[in-house]
Amino acid sequence: MINRRKWRRWIQGIDNRIYMPVRIFTPIFRGYIDLLESNANIREPFHFHEWILHNHSQVLLLTLRKISDKDKRAYSLQRLLCDILNHNQSLSFRSYMHRCKPSFIDNYASYWHSICGNADYIPESLIQNDMNNLAQLTKKACDAANQQIAHAERKGKYRIFPNDAIYFAIQSTLNILQKYSLLLRCPIDDSIEAAIPHDWQRIFRSKWLTS
């Protein structure tokens, strides 16, 4: 019980601290790109836009870096998976179905079996496979984040990653987190894009320079 409660807190912490900013920034960035593409008069000079593009890419790289962080002081998907692997018997079919409403029993049981088969506990092989996938998804981006941000002064080839590839990696890691959120019955949003409740483009309708 203690482990499951801790994992639920971790999942909420990871979702709020790492994925929620991406959910907010992504639709804003896409809208910003749409503005550039729709109005040729605002594309030059490009220095301001280049600054925004550069910083947005760094934010995405750092997001993947945070997701795979092994530091004990940090919330990360890597640490969550490692802890579940070490205490996998705390996540059992019995605990998963505990206090399940009768109308949801079939759906819950079906989801468990689709992920864990007929196992009584979440299989170690499943968790290890997710850890391997996480490492594969984040390695190149983490190397780039370390080089471009943490160790920018060191010599080496400067790598540029297209934003679409980084978005794909972040979404794929979120899919892993969501799977465990459902197994722990603390569901999270399954998308890296969220609807913005206000008109954020309103600032562009105002005159920026007053003199």
Side-chain angles (χ1 to χ4, degrees), residues 19 64 67-68 70 77-78 81-82 85 115 124-142 165-166 168-177 179-180:
Y19 290 100
L64 285 173
I67 290 168
S68 59
K70 298 179 181 179
L77 180 53
Q78 167 68 30
L81 294 178
C82 185
L85 179 63
I115 301 297
E124 292 182 6
S125 59
L126 172 67
I127 307 168
Q128 189 62 61
N129 185 61
D130 286 331
M131 293 178 70
N132 293 339
N133 288 338
L134 176 64
Q136 189 174 29
L137 285 165
T138 61
K139 184 180 186 308
K140 291 181 179 179
C142 288
I166 305 178
F168 174 80
I170 294 175
Q171 179 64 62
S172 298
T173 63
L174 178 59
N175 294 342
I176 295 174
L177 181 66
K179 175 169 64 179
Y180 288 89

Side-chain angles (χ1 to χ4, degrees), residues 3-16 23 80 84 91 95-96 108 111 174 176-190:
N3 284 327
R4 295 198 304 276
R5 286 177 179 172
K6 177 180 67 175
W7 294 336
R8 292 186 188 110
R9 289 197 304 270
W10 280 14
I11 287 173
Q12 293 301 324
I14 294 167
D15 189 49
N16 291 332
R23 290 193 185 99
L80 173 69
I84 294 177
L91 183 48
S95 66
Y96 170 70
Y108 274 60
Y111 183 75
L174 178 59
I176 295 174
L177 181 66
Q178 192 209 21
K179 175 169 64 179
Y180 288 89
S181 77
L182 293 176
L183 290 173
L184 287 161
R185 293 173 60 176
C186 57
I188 59 173
D189 194 336
D190 63 352

Side-chain angles (χ1 to χ4, degrees), residues 4 33 41 56 75 89 92 128 142 158 161 163 181 201:
R4 295 198 304 276
I33 294 300
N41 294 326
H56 182 69
Y75 280 108
Q89 292 193 4
S92 65
Q128 189 62 61
C142 288
Y158 189 84
F161 289 86
N163 285 338
S181 77
Q201 294 183 353

Side-chain angles (χ1 to χ4, degrees), residues 26-132:
T26 299
I28 291 177
F29 180 74
R30 294 192 190 282
Y32 166 75
I33 294 300
D34 289 341
L35 285 175
L36 285 183
E37 293 179 346
S38 64
N39 189 349
N41 294 326
I42 64 173
R43 297 175 192 170
E44 297 293 339
F46 197 70
H47 302 86
F48 174 73
H49 305 304
E50 186 175 30
W51 174 70
I52 291 180
L53 294 172
H54 175 73
N55 281 280
H56 182 69
S57 294
Q58 288 200 337
V59 167
L60 295 180
L61 287 175
L62 281 175
T63 296
L64 285 173
R65 178 68 179 81
K66 292 177 182 178
I67 290 168
S68 59
D69 199 339
K70 298 179 181 179
D71 193 307
K72 293 182 179 180
R73 298 168 296 180
Y75 280 108
S76 74
L77 180 53
Q78 167 68 30
R79 287 196 60 227
L80 173 69
L81 294 178
C82 185
D83 202 65
I84 294 177
L85 179 63
N86 292 334
H87 306 92
N88 71 306
Q89 292 193 4
S90 294
L91 183 48
S92 65
F93 178 72
R94 181 178 179 180
S95 66
Y96 170 70
M97 298 297 294
H98 183 58
R99 293 183 179 179
C100 179
K101 293 182 179 180
S103 57
F104 295 146
I105 287 179
D106 289 343
N107 289 338
Y108 274 60
S110 177
Y111 183 75
W112 175 275
H113 294 310
S114 70
I115 301 297
C116 304
N118 295 320
D120 293 329
Y121 307 99
I122 185 169
E124 292 182 6
S125 59
L126 172 67
I127 307 168
Q128 189 62 61
N129 185 61
D130 286 331
M131 293 178 70
N132 293 339

Side-chain angles (χ1 to χ4, degrees), residues 195-206:
I196 305 299
H198 55 274
D199 180 16
W200 68 270
Q201 294 183 353
R202 183 178 59 189
I203 62 171
F204 295 113
R205 302 188 188 101
S206 302

